[in-house]
Amino acid sequence: MDAGGTDRSEDDRGEGGRGEGGGIRTALAGLTTRGRSFLAAGIAAAVCAYVLGQSDLLRVGLLLGVLPLVCAAVLYRTRYRVAGSRRLSPGRVPAGSEARVHLRIDNVSRLPTGLLMLQDRVPYVLGPRPRFVLDRVEPGGRREVSYRVRSDLRGRYPLGPLQLRLTDPFGLCELTRSFSTYDTLTVIPRVEALPPVRLSGEAKGYGEGRQRSLALAGDDDVIPRGYRYGDDLRRVHWRSTARYGELMVRREEQPQRARCTVLLDTRVVAFEGAGPDSAFEWAVSGAASVLVHMLERGFSVRLLTGTGDSVPGEGTDGFAGASQGTADSAGLMLDTLAVIDHSDGTDLSPAYDMLRGGSEGLLVAFFGDLDEEQATVAARMRQRSGGAVAFVLDSGTWAREPADVPGPLDRSEERLRMLREAGWTAVVVPRGATVEELWRLADHERTTLATTTGGEGTR
């Protein structure tokens, strides 16, 4: 039952393949409390009529006993042909936001249906299981219902399969028939809109300069070279020809694009606590916000985890932004972050090894708790990037009151000092701070450092 698609219920037996004996057991198992009461009363009346020799009581007993059996048989043999569809609006939502699920039931048979109970299976984190009662559906008719789902926890949640409960007019028997497929709702991390700041990275191209301008508009770099037989004369570069004294032509170079790597520390030892307000969830949300922001600015972006895994995979330069595929690229990364979890490793060395020396452009990292050894590894990462910004989360201050943890606070300041001495623009992340505030703070610290040193600082 894909979104917008159609699925048919099992319209013949509902338990096909089990034989007649299985069909009888299925029909009898569908008797409601009322139906079983009628059956028990009929059997009791028949026994009493036999003992007392009352033929009128026997007729009453037969009526009470046979009625639920007839209803079960008729309901089981009913061949409703019902098609159902489900549509998610939208199919990808941020954590804490609502999505609406639209259900449609079509009666594709020539007979009207009886009373139908529609039920959709949803995980408990999305809310209670929705149930709807549908009155008689005429031949060729349809019924549409909808319900809302919401989750504060990111992840991928299956919806379905859809179930129909059939009942007889007397309420003596109910049978359940299920559709076969389901849909998936993706709950992605919260994404905050970030302001444009002057953080920049190294551009990729074939030129000799290491820091080159970003060609967002797609303009070609013009580098003259000597004329070769067959070159188009319209590409002659007359200024260079006059300068060098020989015929020179324009050589169009690949437009450059600045690169950005977002590093997310996923080590389980680096974070304490769980739930939507935990430090790790803040780091995931921060990484998602930076990824989307840099894609929108035209950077080639890739996501790197503490275990060295990257999206896109190893050997690629990242997803290109400022193009028609920006939304698809952001969607793929957000889908990855929707299901990302803690890793068992305790070392950041795999992520360090994945950074290509000196050509990573801008590196934005979200670190959890760093001991002295891991802080040293993180400091060395600065040597493999054109600019580096670190957001350091001390999970101790997130799990407890700041006044109760003077030790961890001092340790966090020491780790920040090590990163800053290595050239990072390092910012501590207190509980309750927004990604936008800390993004501005990082830009302010970078500008302050550039003013103090008289250079560009960490870009």
Side-chain angles (χ1 to χ4, degrees), residues 300-336:
S300 292
V301 181
R302 73 166 176 163
L303 171 64
L304 184 66
T305 66
T307 60
D309 297 328
S310 63
V311 179
E314 183 177 358
T316 60
D317 293 321
F319 292 106
S323 64
Q324 295 180 351
T326 299
D328 294 336
S329 302
L332 180 58
M333 288 191 172
L334 291 177
D335 287 346
T336 302

Side-chain angles (χ1 to χ4, degrees), residues 113-433:
T113 69
L115 189 66
L116 302 178
M117 177 179 289
L118 187 64
Q119 176 178 280
D120 206 9
R121 291 185 179 181
V122 299
Y124 71 95
V125 296
L126 297 183
R129 181 172 295 183
R131 293 183 175 90
F132 305 93
V133 176
L134 304 180
D135 204 352
R136 176 180 179 274
V137 182
E138 65 279 3
R142 71 174 55 173
R143 298 290 185 272
E144 295 185 4
V145 293
S146 65
Y147 64 93
R148 294 177 295 179
V149 291
R150 178 181 182 274
S151 175
D152 292 326
L153 298 174
R154 56 186 175 80
R156 302 188 68 189
Y157 302 101
L159 301 178
L162 193 62
Q163 292 182 330
L164 281 177
R165 287 188 178 181
L166 312 178
T167 183
D168 65 280
F170 303 103
L172 302 179
C173 184
E174 285 185 356
L175 292 180
T176 301
R177 294 181 178 175
S178 298
F179 294 89
S180 58
T181 57
Y182 61 91
D183 292 318
T184 300
L185 175 68
T186 303
V187 181
I188 61 176
R190 295 184 180 92
V191 176
E192 295 186 28
L194 302 182
V197 297
R198 297 175 59 187
L199 302 172
S200 61
E202 181 182 350
K204 174 187 177 183
Y206 299 121
E208 297 180 358
R210 290 180 55 85
Q211 305 295 335
R212 306 190 61 186
S213 61
L214 178 66
L216 289 180
D219 295 333
D220 292 329
D221 294 330
V222 179
I223 300 178
R225 62 169 175 81
Y227 175 81
R228 297 172 185 170
Y229 178 78
D231 285 339
D232 191 346
L233 293 179
R234 289 175 296 181
R235 294 173 54 190
V236 173
H237 195 261
W238 297 109
R239 181 179 301 176
S240 299
T241 299
R243 178 179 178 182
Y244 293 103
E246 60 177 312
L247 200 59
M248 306 290 290
V249 296
R250 295 188 303 270
R251 178 177 58 186
E252 285 78 12
E253 192 177 63
Q254 178 184 351
Q256 300 180 30
R257 188 178 300 278
R259 292 196 298 274
C260 175
T261 298
V262 178
L263 171 61
L264 176 61
D265 186 1
T266 56
R267 298 170 300 133
V268 66
V269 297
F271 298 93
E272 295 181 8
D277 296 327
S278 64
F280 182 68
E281 293 302 319
W282 192 98
V284 173
S285 177
S289 302
V290 173
L291 285 169
V292 173
H293 175 72
M294 302 308 285
L295 278 172
E296 292 176 347
R297 290 190 61 191
F299 280 65
S300 292
V301 181
R302 73 166 176 163
L303 171 64
L304 184 66
T305 66
T307 60
D309 297 328
S310 63
V311 179
E314 183 177 358
T316 60
D317 293 321
F319 292 106
S323 64
Q324 295 180 351
T326 299
D328 294 336
S329 302
L332 180 58
M333 288 191 172
L334 291 177
D335 287 346
T336 302
L337 289 175
V339 296
I340 201 168
D341 202 354
H342 293 291
S343 58
D344 296 331
T346 60
D347 193 1
L348 290 172
S349 297
Y352 171 78
D353 295 336
M354 283 294 297
L355 296 175
R356 291 163 293 219
S359 62
E360 281 301 312
L362 177 64
L363 174 62
V364 181
F366 292 84
F367 293 119
D369 291 338
L370 296 172
D371 56 24
E372 184 175 0
E373 179 182 357
Q374 298 309 311
T376 302
V377 175
R380 294 204 308 266
M381 293 180 183
R382 173 63 183 89
Q383 303 171 1
R384 298 195 169 188
S385 64
V389 181
F391 299 93
V392 183
L393 291 88
D394 182 0
S395 61
T397 63
W398 285 68
R400 294 160 289 185
E401 293 296 329
D404 299 336
V405 286
L409 285 176
D410 295 339
R411 187 182 65 182
S412 178
E413 289 297 330
E414 175 65 19
R415 304 299 178 250
L416 287 176
R417 183 187 63 80
M418 293 179 60
L419 294 177
R420 288 166 179 165
E421 289 180 351
W424 284 84
T425 299
V427 178
V428 67
V429 180
R431 186 181 183 90

Side-chain angles (χ1 to χ4, degrees), residues 43-66:
I43 294 174
V47 171
C48 292
Y50 176 77
V51 173
L52 300 176
Q54 297 291 328
S55 59
D56 293 338
L57 184 59
L58 179 60
R59 286 191 289 268
V60 173
L62 290 176
L63 176 62
L64 294 177
V66 170

